[in-house]
Amino acid sequence: SNSKRVINFAAGPAKLPAGVLEAAQKELLDHAGTGVSVMELSHRGADFTKILHNAERDLRDLLSIPSNYKILFLQGGGNGQFASIPMNLMGLRDAHSADYIVTGCWSAKAASEAEKYGKVNYVLPKLHKYTEIPHPSTWNLNPNASYVHYCCNETIHGTEFHYIPETNGIPLVCDMSSNFLSRPFDITKYGLVYAGAQKNLGCAGVTLVIVREDLIGFANPLCPTTMDYRTQVNSNSMYNTPPCYSIYIMGLVLEWIKKNGGAKAMEDRNNLKILSVYETIDNSDGFYVAPVKEEFRSRMNIPLRIGGMEGNDSLEKKFLDQAHQMGMIQLKGHRSVGGLRISLYNAIELDEVEYLVQFMKDFQQANQK
Ligand code: PLP
């Protein structure tokens, strides 16, 4: 099935399952006998309402989300939530302060945005390098915080939390943009979870927010009406026109995950994929170097250097060029860290990983001194 398409290892917007794109293509001009595209449906009509309801139902099924958690399909991306979260939740307690666990660029950005709306307590001293996650025994949590924010998977640096932080009853808020539904998780441990869709959940344009209902209704008076969670909960994510087509694509992705065994099956498959890549790296005698300490390695994004810790620019360029010739694209690392980055979201197939791994081994053979 890859004979015509390239293998897209992008960090986001990322690869979508071929079946999802084919389904969307098939009904592009005529959705379910309506005679029009999903893009042309009224967001308040029965046909779109069904799309929205089915997406919510599938999400609740996939993660066993209880009814006291509200599901919102919003706009503005992860960055929009960096602002919406403090605007909605700082006021949960009189001190108007929040704890931020900064383990990479994205959680750092979330924290600096939050400073506009209240007091931000940095739980960790500023890290020299984002290649590990300091042990919770060293964290400086504030017992009067309105909430604790962290990013579960730092997309650029490739560190991932493999446990849920303990916050002694203070609402835990999590940016799951780059690992949502890559494995099951217990939503009841969280106050709020959010994720932009463009990595594991669909295409850009819709941002998923799952929020516990007792946290709703505390918005800053200056919070824009459309960004107030209460407004959106009361209007079923339709206070303003929702990103209808992106919600539709997310619905197709959720159906695809269900058909393929659900969140646990995604986890098992992702573990196989990651094992095969890390084995190749770890058995390369230092030809390939993954800078992240083993216990914090992300299963979704693998930053990588070739030819030592600092990387060898010309070898890395050669690797990217040859990979491109062989149909593998978007393997370049983020400009802030350099090197390479392999992203292995749900839609990447096992045989695609095997193809990459074989190329890595061949490349090493041909280029190792
Ligand atoms: N959070 C994480 C973990 C991300 O990887 C990204 C984007 O790559 C964002 C937030 C920002 O998302 P957006 O571009 O949708 O604002």
Side-chain angles (χ1 to χ4, degrees):
S1 67
N2 297 314
S3 55
K4 275 177 266 128
R5 302 199 74 221
V6 299
I7 309 177
N8 180 6
F9 289 102
K15 179 179 193 262
L16 282 161
V20 165
L21 295 174
E22 282 156 9
Q25 181 185 45
K26 215 170 110 196
E27 42 184 38
L28 183 61
L29 299 183
D30 180 8
H31 172 73
T34 56
V36 295
S37 163
V38 172
M39 283 176 258
E40 303 163 297
L41 288 174
S42 158
H43 61 292
R44 303 203 183 274
D47 297 295
F48 182 73
T49 301
K50 192 171 161 196
I51 289 171
L52 189 78
H53 283 175
N54 287 351
E56 174 169 346
R57 180 204 60 207
D58 287 346
L59 194 58
R60 285 193 187 277
D61 286 355
L62 282 166
L63 291 168
S64 308
I65 301 173
S67 60
N68 65 321
Y69 282 80
K70 303 301 173 193
I71 297 178
L72 299 174
F73 300 90
L74 305 178
Q75 298 181 65
N79 280 281
Q81 289 309 307
F82 294 168
S84 287
I85 287 161
M87 279 195 283
N88 277 276
L89 304 184
M90 278 283 191
L92 279 168
R93 296 174 85 176
D94 292 339
H96 286 257
S97 84
D99 280 356
Y100 277 75
I101 305 171
V102 173
T103 56
C105 285
W106 294 114
S107 46
K109 217 173 166 197
S112 73
E113 183 71 10
E115 285 181 347
K116 293 183 179 176
Y117 306 100
K119 213 175 139 305
V120 168
N121 170 45
Y122 287 81
V123 170
L124 304 175
K126 197 165 166 30
L127 299 176
H128 172 57
K129 260 192 193 166
Y130 294 128
T131 50
E132 62 185 301
I133 297 171
H135 192 270
S137 63
T138 68
W139 297 0
N140 166 37
L141 292 170
N142 169 11
N144 296 314
S146 293
Y147 61 89
V148 180
H149 179 282
Y150 79 112
C151 176
C152 196
N153 186 73
E154 284 284 354
T155 322
I156 294 174
H157 308 281
T159 55
E160 185 173 14
F161 279 81
H162 297 299
Y163 58 91
I164 298 178
E166 176 52 60
T167 59
N168 300 312
I170 294 176
L172 182 60
V173 174
C174 183
D175 179 355
M176 279 197 204
S177 292
S178 52
N179 64 354
F180 191 84
L181 271 173
S182 67
R183 59 184 174 191
F185 69 93
D186 181 359
I187 186 71
T188 68
K189 297 276 192 284
Y190 292 92
L192 185 150
V193 166
Y194 64 104
Q198 64 269 26
K199 296 153 197 316
N200 240 349
L201 273 174
C203 62
V206 58
T207 315
L208 188 67
V209 173
I210 308 172
V211 54
R212 208 173 64 210
E213 69 187 348
D214 61 294
L215 306 182
I216 296 165
F218 296 89
N220 177 323
L222 290 178
C223 178
T225 310
T226 189
M227 292 173 83
D228 184 334
Y229 297 140
R230 180 162 55 185
T231 315
Q232 292 289 6
V233 165
N234 289 342
S235 51
N236 235 333
S237 304
M238 292 206 230
Y239 175 71
N240 56 314
T241 313
C244 302
Y245 200 76
S246 300
I247 293 170
Y248 160 72
I249 296 291
M250 186 190 287
L252 293 178
V253 171
L254 295 171
E255 264 177 43
W256 175 85
I257 295 175
K258 269 183 114 171
K259 250 195 315 224
N260 284 279
K264 184 70 179 81
M266 291 297 124
E267 178 177 38
D268 293 343
R269 211 166 80 112
N270 288 331
N271 284 341
L272 288 178
K273 282 151 51 179
I274 203 76
L275 189 69
S276 145
V277 173
Y278 276 124
E279 265 179 7
T280 308
I281 295 169
D282 294 339
N283 294 334
S284 73
D285 289 324
F287 184 76
Y288 295 111
V289 179
V292 174
K293 291 207 177 145
E294 199 166 331
E295 63 202 288
F296 311 109
R297 284 173 169 177
S298 164
R299 299 156 311 121
M300 299 283 102
N301 313 98
I302 310 166
L304 192 64
R305 301 305 309 230
I306 303 182
M309 231 9 203
E310 303 304 319
N312 173 326
D313 288 345
S314 64
L315 262 188
E316 287 169 347
K317 186 178 181 306
K318 190 172 174 189
F319 181 98
L320 290 170
D321 288 346
Q322 289 187 8
H324 193 266
Q325 280 164 23
M326 292 182 63
M328 291 176 283
I329 64 164
Q330 297 276 12
L331 286 162
K332 197 170 162 62
H334 190 271
R335 60 189 184 280
S336 65
V337 296
L340 316 175
R341 174 172 52 174
I342 303 167
S343 295
L344 300 178
Y345 299 120
N346 288 347
I348 297 282
E349 301 286 345
L350 268 167
D351 64 343
E352 296 175 323
V353 175
E354 288 314 318
Y355 184 71
L356 171 67
V357 159
Q358 190 55 53
F359 168 67
M360 288 172 71
K361 290 175 180 165
D362 295 344
F363 185 83
Q364 179 177 356
Q365 266 232 299
N367 294 282
Q368 199 166 31
K369 292 199 185 76

mmCIF file of all heavy atoms in Angstrom, residues 1-7 22 25 326-327 352:
data_model
loop_
_atom_site.group_PDB
_atom_site.id
_atom_site.type_symbol
_atom_site.label_atom_id
_atom_site.label_comp_id
_atom_site.label_asym_id
_atom_site.label_seq_id
_atom_site.Cartn_x
_atom_site.Cartn_y
_atom_site.Cartn_z
ATOM 1 N N SER A 1 0.830 -1.205 0.000
ATOM 2 C CA SER A 1 0.000 0.000 0.000
ATOM 3 C C SER A 1 0.867 1.258 0.000
ATOM 4 O O SER A 1 0.375 2.350 -0.221
ATOM 5 C CB SER A 1 -0.933 0.019 1.215
ATOM 6 O OG SER A 1 -0.172 0.148 2.397
ATOM 7 N N ASN A 2 2.202 1.104 0.254
ATOM 8 C CA ASN A 2 3.060 2.290 0.264
ATOM 9 C C ASN A 2 3.726 2.525 -1.075
ATOM 10 O O ASN A 2 4.620 3.355 -1.173
ATOM 11 C CB ASN A 2 4.155 2.134 1.326
ATOM 12 C CG ASN A 2 3.534 2.050 2.694
ATOM 13 O OD1 ASN A 2 2.662 2.831 3.019
ATOM 14 N ND2 ASN A 2 3.957 1.086 3.472
ATOM 15 N N SER A 3 3.323 1.776 -2.086
ATOM 16 C CA SER A 3 4.047 1.859 -3.342
ATOM 17 C C SER A 3 3.942 3.262 -3.932
ATOM 18 O O SER A 3 4.876 3.738 -4.548
ATOM 19 C CB SER A 3 3.534 0.814 -4.314
ATOM 20 O OG SER A 3 2.136 0.973 -4.459
ATOM 21 N N LYS A 4 2.825 3.933 -3.713
ATOM 22 C CA LYS A 4 2.678 5.264 -4.292
ATOM 23 C C LYS A 4 2.916 6.370 -3.268
ATOM 24 O O LYS A 4 3.408 7.424 -3.602
ATOM 25 C CB LYS A 4 1.296 5.413 -4.917
ATOM 26 C CG LYS A 4 1.258 4.874 -6.349
ATOM 27 C CD LYS A 4 -0.129 4.947 -6.952
ATOM 28 C CE LYS A 4 -0.893 3.677 -6.771
ATOM 29 N NZ LYS A 4 -2.145 3.557 -6.250
ATOM 30 N N ARG A 5 2.562 6.130 -2.014
ATOM 31 C CA ARG A 5 2.694 7.186 -1.018
ATOM 32 C C ARG A 5 4.055 7.106 -0.334
ATOM 33 O O ARG A 5 4.633 6.040 -0.209
ATOM 34 C CB ARG A 5 1.587 7.045 0.045
ATOM 35 C CG ARG A 5 0.196 7.104 -0.551
ATOM 36 C CD ARG A 5 -0.828 7.425 0.500
ATOM 37 N NE ARG A 5 -0.768 8.822 0.884
ATOM 38 C CZ ARG A 5 -0.880 9.236 2.136
ATOM 39 N NH1 ARG A 5 -0.993 8.380 3.130
ATOM 40 N NH2 ARG A 5 -0.855 10.524 2.415
ATOM 41 N N VAL A 6 4.522 8.254 0.139
ATOM 42 C CA VAL A 6 5.766 8.251 0.892
ATOM 43 C C VAL A 6 5.457 7.859 2.341
ATOM 44 O O VAL A 6 4.296 7.822 2.743
ATOM 45 C CB VAL A 6 6.442 9.633 0.853
ATOM 46 C CG1 VAL A 6 6.788 10.021 -0.575
ATOM 47 C CG2 VAL A 6 5.548 10.677 1.510
ATOM 48 N N ILE A 7 6.497 7.560 3.096
ATOM 49 C CA ILE A 7 6.298 7.310 4.525
ATOM 50 C C ILE A 7 6.625 8.603 5.257
ATOM 51 O O ILE A 7 7.753 9.097 5.201
ATOM 52 C CB ILE A 7 7.183 6.164 5.045
ATOM 53 C CG1 ILE A 7 7.028 4.924 4.153
ATOM 54 C CG2 ILE A 7 6.799 5.826 6.480
ATOM 55 C CD1 ILE A 7 7.922 3.761 4.566
ATOM 56 N N GLU A 22 -8.995 7.602 2.745
ATOM 57 C CA GLU A 22 -9.827 6.998 1.698
ATOM 58 C C GLU A 22 -11.313 7.185 2.000
ATOM 59 O O GLU A 22 -12.101 7.489 1.106
ATOM 60 C CB GLU A 22 -9.476 5.508 1.537
ATOM 61 C CG GLU A 22 -8.190 5.308 0.743
ATOM 62 C CD GLU A 22 -7.491 3.986 1.037
ATOM 63 O OE1 GLU A 22 -8.086 3.135 1.737
ATOM 64 O OE2 GLU A 22 -6.339 3.815 0.576
ATOM 65 N N GLN A 25 -12.167 10.716 1.305
ATOM 66 C CA GLN A 25 -12.178 10.957 -0.142
ATOM 67 C C GLN A 25 -13.474 10.433 -0.772
ATOM 68 O O GLN A 25 -14.107 11.091 -1.585
ATOM 69 C CB GLN A 25 -10.979 10.262 -0.780
ATOM 70 C CG GLN A 25 -10.875 10.449 -2.274
ATOM 71 C CD GLN A 25 -9.736 9.648 -2.874
ATOM 72 O OE1 GLN A 25 -9.548 8.480 -2.544
ATOM 73 N NE2 GLN A 25 -8.966 10.275 -3.741
ATOM 74 N N MET A 326 14.475 7.296 -0.786
ATOM 75 C CA MET A 326 13.804 6.007 -0.569
ATOM 76 C C MET A 326 12.368 6.182 -0.087
ATOM 77 O O MET A 326 11.742 5.235 0.374
ATOM 78 C CB MET A 326 14.606 5.180 0.433
ATOM 79 C CG MET A 326 15.947 4.736 -0.139
ATOM 80 S SD MET A 326 16.839 3.721 1.047
ATOM 81 C CE MET A 326 15.735 2.313 1.197
ATOM 82 N N GLY A 327 11.868 7.402 -0.155
ATOM 83 C CA GLY A 327 10.450 7.619 0.145
ATOM 84 C C GLY A 327 10.134 7.912 1.597
ATOM 85 O O GLY A 327 8.975 7.894 1.992
ATOM 86 N N GLU A 352 6.418 -0.105 8.043
ATOM 87 C CA GLU A 352 7.081 1.157 7.708
ATOM 88 C C GLU A 352 8.276 1.380 8.633
ATOM 89 O O GLU A 352 9.323 1.892 8.221
ATOM 90 C CB GLU A 352 6.081 2.315 7.800
ATOM 91 C CG GLU A 352 4.973 2.161 6.761
ATOM 92 C CD GLU A 352 3.878 3.220 6.861
ATOM 93 O OE1 GLU A 352 3.511 3.629 7.988
ATOM 94 O OE2 GLU A 352 3.383 3.629 5.816
#
